[in-house]
Amino acid sequence: MAIRYGCSALYRSPAEDTISAPDRPNTPLTYRDAGVDIDAGDALVEAIKPLAASTRRPGADADLGGFGGLFDLRAAGFTDPILVAATDGVGTKLRVAIEAGKHDTVGVDLVAMCVNDLVVQGAEPLMFLDYYATGHLDVAAARDVVAGIADGCRQAGCALIGGETAEMPSMYGKGDYDLAGFAVGAAERANILTRDQVATGDMVLALPSSGVHSNGFSLVRRIVERSGLAWDAPAPFRAGVTLAEALLTPTRIYVKSCLAARHAGGVHGFVHVTGGGLIENPPRIYGDDLTMRIDLGAWTPPAVFGWLARTGGVEASEMLRTFNCGLGMLIVVAPDAVDTVTAALRTCGETPIVAGTIEPRDGGDAVIFDGLSQTWLG
């Protein structure tokens, strides 16, 4: 059951703030005088009502109003569910969006960073809430952000059941804003994925990323600064778009593909390749006695990674530790289930590749790369 976005308790402009001394001490003050525009907040509420409504799903389909979002697990079809929760942001990718004046994709990133973390546990994302904080509420920019959030929720099959907009003039500079997302999902108790399910001999399938996704942008921005390119300059690694447009390509949402793979059977684990790249994320899903061997020749990294490495003089090992380098999701599968899972992924429009295997660690590294060289990224 979903709360109404018309309720000012959800999307409003009421951040507590320090009120500066007025120019004329005897003049009555208003909240607007302190820098907070309640009317703008109300306008945003009206603008995003249809966006929230477009994300309704079973379990979140009633218009109740109130101070919190409700979800009916029974209506969603669960019998013995375990709840899984995740929270994340978009990081300094927001700086690119703000400086380029392009706000319609970072909402997708926000959802992706949360729901991809849910599905790797074997959970189906059910509901999402967002937090948007800014110094001065720009209704058009905020609506673009929420439109992206709604788009992401539709891709993930979860309901946008509420959120909060905080206008805090003394906390953020002109035009600045920040985002946080909160997702809740569920899985039947028997379907939760755990570290002990991954075993020697398992195969590693990989799904392509759409580019940098939403990690490593402090390094990306430093490299762009070194390059001397403006955000509206043609992207040197991709024809027909500006540098900002290319780098703001939203994070892929893998929910439907991963749920289809899980339903096919034989999946022992998922790896969402986020901060920490291909070095630090894989060991999160298997024991200390195992290693993942990745064949770097199994795919061609998108050109953006070669450009970043060359322009920034970044070592290949540092690239692998910071970025996804072209693989956004890894799927660890029993050897006899590879064909079945691959077929299920292809029905979702994926082009999975066989990227590696699970092997005994024998005291070595937790991830081993075959074919690593400084020229690997191009």
Side-chain angles (χ1 to χ4, degrees):
M1 294 171 282
I3 50 179
R4 287 181 293 137
Y5 269 80
C7 179
S8 61
L10 293 172
Y11 265 99
R12 61 189 192 268
S13 290
E16 292 298 327
D17 203 352
T18 301
I19 300 177
S20 58
D23 294 333
R24 292 176 292 176
N26 295 326
T27 301
L29 287 174
T30 67
Y31 212 179
R32 186 189 294 265
D33 294 328
V36 179
D37 189 345
I38 294 176
D39 291 336
D42 292 340
L44 179 59
V45 170
E46 293 303 311
I48 64 179
K49 277 183 181 179
L51 299 174
S54 72
T55 69
R56 287 180 175 176
R57 53 151 295 154
D61 53 7
D63 191 11
L64 296 182
F67 288 87
L70 306 178
F71 195 95
D72 186 341
L73 286 170
R74 184 176 298 174
F78 291 91
T79 57
D80 186 21
I82 297 291
L83 293 178
V84 184
T87 184
D88 211 333
V90 183
T92 59
K93 189 174 187 176
L94 288 179
R95 269 272 55 94
V96 182
I98 291 167
E99 291 173 10
K102 180 175 170 54
H103 311 286
D104 58 342
T105 59
V106 289
V108 178
D109 288 301
L110 184 67
V111 176
M113 296 302 291
C114 295
V115 298
N116 286 342
D117 280 354
L118 291 184
V119 77
V120 298
Q121 300 289 139
E124 175 189 351
L126 302 175
M127 51 184 165
F128 190 86
L129 298 97
D130 68 278
Y131 175 77
Y132 178 99
T134 185
H136 174 71
L137 186 57
D138 180 331
V139 174
R143 188 200 176 282
D144 282 349
V145 171
V146 178
I149 293 171
D151 182 11
C153 286
R154 290 190 298 270
Q155 291 183 45
C158 64
L160 177 58
I161 65 168
E164 172 76 341
T165 298
E167 191 173 22
M168 299 183 285
S170 64
M171 292 291 290
Y172 296 90
K174 183 178 180 180
D176 286 350
Y177 61 87
D178 198 9
L179 296 174
F182 311 89
V184 177
E188 296 293 357
R189 189 179 303 270
N191 293 335
I192 292 289
L193 292 170
T194 58
R195 287 165 58 95
D196 58 1
Q197 295 177 43
V198 178
T200 297
D202 284 350
M203 303 297 293
V204 180
L205 300 179
L207 304 182
S209 70
S210 57
V212 182
H213 282 183
S214 299
N215 298 106
F217 267 83
S218 292
L219 178 56
V220 169
R221 290 169 47 244
R222 185 72 177 270
I223 293 170
V224 170
E225 181 180 350
R226 176 179 289 189
S227 77
L229 294 174
W231 293 123
D232 59 357
F237 49 85
R238 181 175 159 192
V241 296
T242 67
L243 179 58
E245 288 169 339
L247 292 174
L248 288 171
T249 300
T251 306
R252 286 198 61 202
I253 292 176
Y254 297 98
V255 169
K256 293 180 180 178
S257 298
C258 288
L259 291 177
R262 187 79 171 98
H263 181 72
V267 171
H268 291 166
F270 294 105
V271 178
H272 181 204
V273 187
T274 56
L278 288 165
I279 291 180
E280 296 186 4
N281 285 294
R284 297 166 69 178
I285 72 161
Y286 49 78
D288 295 340
D289 58 333
L290 298 175
T291 186
M292 180 181 290
R293 181 178 291 275
I294 297 177
D295 177 10
L296 296 179
W299 78 99
T300 300
V304 59
F305 296 107
W307 180 79
L308 290 169
R310 292 189 305 274
T311 307
V314 184
E315 297 288 335
S317 58
E318 182 70 9
M319 293 291 294
L320 286 165
R321 188 183 181 190
T322 305
F323 301 112
N324 64 65
C325 293
L327 303 183
M329 183 68 70
L330 307 180
I331 308 174
V332 179
V333 183
D336 59 359
V338 169
D339 290 344
T340 302
V341 172
T342 297
L345 290 168
R346 285 176 176 161
T347 63
C348 296
E350 298 285 1
T351 54
I353 63 170
V354 178
T357 57
I358 300 296
E359 301 177 358
R361 186 176 304 188
D362 295 330
D365 294 333
V367 182
I368 298 172
F369 298 99
D370 290 336
L372 179 61
S373 71
Q374 187 56 29
T375 60
W376 166 64
L377 290 166

